[in-house]
Amino acid sequence: MSGSFQWWWKGSRQMIIAIAGGLLGMSLASGQVLASATATEAVVQQGAYLARAGNCMGCHTTRGGKPYAGGRRLNTPFGEFVTPNITPDNETGIGQWSADDFWQAMHHGQSRDGRYLYPAFPYTEYTKVTREDADAIFAYLRSLTPVRQTNLPHRIRSPYDNQLLLFLWRVWYFKEGVYEADLSKSEEWNRGAYLVQGLGHCDACHTARNVWGASQDDKLTGGEIMGHYWYAPSLIAPQEAGVGDWPIETIVELLSTGITSDAVTTGPMATIVRQSLQHLSPEDMRAMAVYLQSIGKPDPARKTRRIPDMPEGVRQYLARGELVYEKYCQDCHGESGQGAPGIYPPLAGNRSVTMKSPLNTIRSVLYGGYPPSTAGNPRPYGMPPYQHIIRDAEIAQVVSYIRNAWGNFGSLVSPLDVDQSRGNEF
């Protein structure tokens, strides 16, 4: 009997150990799966943040369309580009893409089939994005609900629709490579540089382009946004949008809310603030401000700059503009162009009014507009359009007056300038 009991206990103990081991293995495996799922979710959330920082949805969503399903038309001197569907639909999106395929597009500027992509997709800047961040963005895009949407093909004019010509363009103008940290600078500065130069692709708008659509050698020095009829000011020159002598807190305020006591974002930049920048973490926002402050040049001659005497003909032209200003603008912007803090921007001493290109000021008068609606400025005050009220000659006169009143000094604007500023809205 004793021997039988020992035999039974030995077998039972082995069975119990086996079952316990199995349960423990299942528990460990479940824990590993849970940890893996948590890690994957963390990567997806990081990818969502990075996609927001790069404003991917801004281009890959047409007005009134499904997010990331593409279809937005981008007009350029080379033809019309249509943004692709980047939801994980197998037939019309990137459902069959791998992380390597996505990296090839972001870093090398080539599609899944090896075809060269046109730089309307800013891979010239995205090439600086790290593989880790690119993989996180891809993981986020893969987590989206697939949208079956076939978009129209590009309509590129000849000879720009030639892949050989695009290959030569890349040889001349495209330099691939992940952002390399400047070891002489702080970690915060490098983070800001990475965001501005890479994921934020600020250079895509704030740099002039040559006849082939390539960015000039001098980066962030300002340029007209191709096909949009807006001017993206220099982020270096103090006469435009350089912030070399601004406090960090003021730069952060402008980037996150779209408005400060002395400045306001309009047009495409207002859209960027609303859709992208306001959602950045305080640390990333400050890092961008630190970098932008470092590249901005101070303006020591600002207070001592002498305005030359005006010929009588110019005085008379500006006097006619003053009458238009008094009738349509003075109630909001003030008798002396002082504006109303936090409500209507000042025009006196406003660099966006006096910078070399009058394009943005003209378009603001023509079409009106609002600063972005942000968490820091949820109910912005706007400006109505005047194109249906004021003739082009009067718009030219009032813009000329604003650019040369109250200590401002800018070039005169003609009715032809007003007419040529019309085009597609952002």
Side-chain angles (χ1 to χ4, degrees):
M1 187 72 177
S2 174
S4 298
F5 176 79
Q6 289 178 353
W7 173 83
W8 174 84
W9 170 245
K10 182 177 180 182
S12 298
R13 186 177 65 175
Q14 290 174 341
M15 183 180 295
I16 291 170
I17 291 172
I19 292 173
L23 291 173
L24 179 60
M26 289 173 63
S27 176
L28 289 173
S30 298
Q32 290 171 348
V33 170
L34 181 60
S36 176
T38 302
T40 301
E41 179 61 24
V43 170
V44 168
Q45 290 301 316
Q46 176 67 1
Y49 174 82
L50 295 169
R52 178 83 81 168
N55 195 30
C56 303
M57 189 170 68
C59 279
H60 289 276
T61 307
T62 191
R63 185 171 297 179
K66 297 289 183 65
Y68 296 101
R72 181 169 183 176
R73 300 181 182 187
L74 306 176
N75 293 307
T76 75
F78 310 103
E80 181 183 81
F81 295 90
V82 181
T83 59
N85 182 347
I86 56 172
T87 70
D89 180 67
N90 284 332
E91 301 300 324
T92 64
I94 59 171
Q96 298 186 36
W97 284 42
S98 67
D100 287 341
D101 295 331
F102 189 74
W103 171 250
Q104 179 169 282
M106 290 279 286
H107 187 71
H108 302 289
Q110 290 181 267
S111 188
R112 180 169 178 256
D113 58 6
R115 184 172 39 87
Y116 295 126
L117 299 175
Y118 285 88
F121 170 62
Y123 62 83
T124 46
E125 285 72 41
Y126 285 162
T127 188
K128 294 180 181 292
V129 174
T130 65
R131 178 64 192 258
E132 181 182 7
D133 282 354
D135 286 350
I137 295 171
F138 181 68
Y140 167 66
L141 294 176
R142 293 281 298 178
S143 75
L144 299 174
T145 301
V147 177
R148 178 154 299 198
Q149 177 174 303
T150 301
N151 296 310
L152 295 173
H154 301 321
R155 293 192 298 180
I156 307 170
R157 291 199 296 272
S158 180
Y160 308 114
D161 56 350
N162 189 307
Q163 282 276 302
L164 176 59
L165 190 63
L166 185 54
F167 168 78
L168 295 175
W169 186 96
R170 290 164 58 93
V171 170
W172 292 327
Y173 299 117
F174 175 47
K175 180 181 178 181
E176 69 178 47
V178 172
Y179 173 79
E180 296 182 5
D182 184 340
L183 299 181
S184 68
K185 304 292 185 180
S186 68
E187 183 178 343
E188 183 177 50
W189 185 96
N190 276 289
R191 176 62 177 175
Y194 172 72
L195 290 169
V196 169
Q197 295 178 20
L199 202 58
H201 60 285
C202 304
D203 180 61
C205 288
H206 288 273
T207 300
R209 294 179 179 271
N210 62 22
V211 295
W212 295 105
S215 296
Q216 306 282 32
D217 292 336
D218 295 329
K219 305 297 184 182
L220 302 176
T221 53
E224 186 172 331
I225 303 175
M226 191 173 291
H228 290 306
Y229 299 90
W230 283 91
Y231 177 78
S234 168
L235 300 181
I236 297 174
Q239 297 82 10
E240 296 197 4
V243 290
D245 53 2
W246 281 31
I248 293 295
E249 294 73 19
T250 305
I251 305 172
V252 169
E253 181 184 7
L254 183 63
L255 293 178
S256 59
T257 69
I259 189 169
T260 69
S261 59
D262 297 317
V264 62
T265 57
T266 58
M269 190 62 198
T271 303
I272 297 300
V273 171
R274 176 175 58 83
Q275 293 181 341
S276 176
L277 294 181
Q278 69 161 321
H279 301 286
L280 295 186
S281 68
E283 295 79 13
D284 278 349
M285 190 66 71
R286 179 179 170 83
M288 288 183 66
V290 167
Y291 174 72
L292 291 172
Q293 185 194 60
S294 75
I295 64 173
K297 295 180 179 179
D299 187 11
R302 187 174 183 179
K303 294 182 179 180
T304 60
R305 189 176 291 114
R306 182 181 179 277
I307 299 175
D309 294 333
M310 297 180 183
E312 183 58 28
V314 173
R315 290 180 183 275
Q316 293 177 6
Y317 188 72
L318 297 182
R320 292 192 289 273
E322 183 177 12
L323 295 176
V324 179
Y325 179 85
E326 290 174 350
K327 184 176 181 179
Y328 296 105
C329 314
Q330 185 169 292
D331 286 348
C332 293
H333 291 285
E335 184 178 348
S336 302
Q338 74 274 17
I343 302 176
Y344 304 114
L347 301 178
N350 189 326
R351 299 181 301 175
S352 65
V353 169
T354 59
M355 62 186 176
K356 183 178 180 180
S357 172
L359 183 57
N360 296 354
T361 305
I362 295 172
R363 287 184 63 83
S364 294
V365 176
L366 282 171
Y367 303 113
Y370 283 81
S373 177
T374 60
N377 187 33
R379 299 182 65 183
Y381 290 83
M383 176 175 169
Y386 285 96
Q387 62 171 337
H388 61 297
I389 299 174
I390 309 177
R391 295 177 293 116
D392 282 7
E394 293 174 312
I395 292 176
Q397 291 162 5
V398 73
V399 172
S400 297
Y401 170 72
I402 291 169
R403 284 167 61 82
N404 290 278
W406 321 298
N408 291 346
F409 181 59
S411 61
L412 300 181
V413 174
S414 70
L416 179 61
D417 294 326
V418 176
D419 182 61
Q420 290 180 340
S421 72
R422 289 185 168 88
N424 297 322
E425 295 187 55
F426 189 74

